[in-house]
Every structure is written in C-alpha cells, then in structure tokens.
Amino acid sequence: MISNGQLCRLRSIIISILRDSSVTMSDKYSGEFKPHITIAYIKTKKVNPPGNT
C-alpha cells in the first residue's frame, strides 16, 4: 500500500485519543508507519443449521 498522509494523520489522532484516555500501549511502529492490510481466515467445522438433522 502506498503511504498516505491522511492515514498517518488518522493514526496519530487515534494514538493521541488512546493516550489521553490513559490506555497503556506499546507502538513498535512509532518511527516509521507503513499502512498495510492483514488478511486471515479461520478453519472451522461445518455446522448444520437448526432444523437440518
């Protein structure tokens, strides 16, 4: 993802709000923010809906 100034500002606002609300946090990416997306899935057993026995 290409770095975006609006995303960086949004991140800064969120961090400020959390800190102002006394939320303890550790930010390992404080030096260089690289917007990204994480995609994951969870394998689950198939469950029969109610009424289908």
Side-chain angles (χ1 to χ4, degrees):
M1 188 169 173
I2 297 171
S3 183
N4 184 313
Q6 289 178 326
L7 289 176
C8 291
R9 282 191 297 276
L10 176 60
R11 177 178 179 270
S12 295
I13 291 168
I14 291 170
I15 289 172
S16 293
I17 290 169
L18 290 171
R19 287 188 177 142
D20 291 347
S21 299
S22 300
V23 174
T24 303
M25 53 183 278
S26 172
D27 187 4
K28 64 181 181 180
Y29 301 106
S30 62
E32 183 179 358
F33 175 56
K34 294 182 180 180
H36 64 279
I37 185 170
T38 301
I39 300 173
Y41 69 95
I42 299 172
K43 287 186 177 183
T44 61
K45 294 180 182 178
K46 290 186 179 182
V47 177
N48 289 331
N52 287 345
T53 55

